[in-house]
Amino acid sequence: MLKPRPHHPASHWHSTRRLTLGLLLVWFVLTFGVIFFARELSGIRWFGWPLSFYMAAQGLALAYLLIVAVYTWQMRKIDRRQQESEHNRGHNREQKREQQ
């Protein structure tokens, strides 16, 4: 999902903001779409229930949990990548000091 790229603090915040904005967009589209298109979605059946009712009762809550899980999973990856980058930069500085 996330492509490896040069690691520096700006990259960390760029990745965090991009992830947050993307998930907020998904949240908004799901919430607004289900409410705005409730009549149209009621014609679709999901496990015997109208889709709009299912989404309002359970589907959106499950979607929100999925959004939180994706955010947590991706943030761990971003933070781990940042920590490795800081560790490597610190190691490179020590090597330069030793060479001088």
Side-chain angles (χ1 to χ4, degrees):
M1 194 176 249
L2 294 174
K3 296 177 183 175
R5 59 188 114 105
H7 304 295
H8 52 82
S11 175
H12 178 264
W13 288 113
H14 178 77
S15 298
T16 302
R17 276 185 278 160
R18 194 175 67 191
L19 174 66
T20 303
L21 289 176
L23 291 175
L24 281 173
L25 180 66
V26 170
W27 168 81
F28 178 76
V29 167
L30 280 174
T31 304
F32 181 75
V34 169
I35 293 170
F36 192 77
F37 296 107
R39 281 190 207 146
E40 290 81 8
L41 292 175
S42 66
I44 301 171
R45 296 283 175 176
W46 183 261
F47 294 113
W49 297 87
L51 185 59
S52 60
F53 176 78
Y54 174 78
M55 289 301 286
Q58 298 172 353
L60 285 178
L62 293 174
Y64 298 153
L65 283 175
L66 184 64
I67 288 171
V68 170
V70 167
Y71 179 80
T72 304
W73 175 54
Q74 288 298 314
M75 280 305 298
R76 281 188 185 168
K77 284 177 61 177
I78 292 170
D79 288 344
R80 192 174 310 130
R81 190 174 62 202
Q82 178 65 22
Q83 288 173 350
E84 289 174 3
S85 175
E86 288 177 3
H87 176 74
N88 290 339
R89 271 189 269 146
H91 184 69
N92 289 341
R93 284 183 197 148
E94 289 177 11
Q95 285 181 340
K96 286 181 182 178
R97 285 183 193 154
E98 290 174 1
Q99 289 175 354
Q100 293 174 353

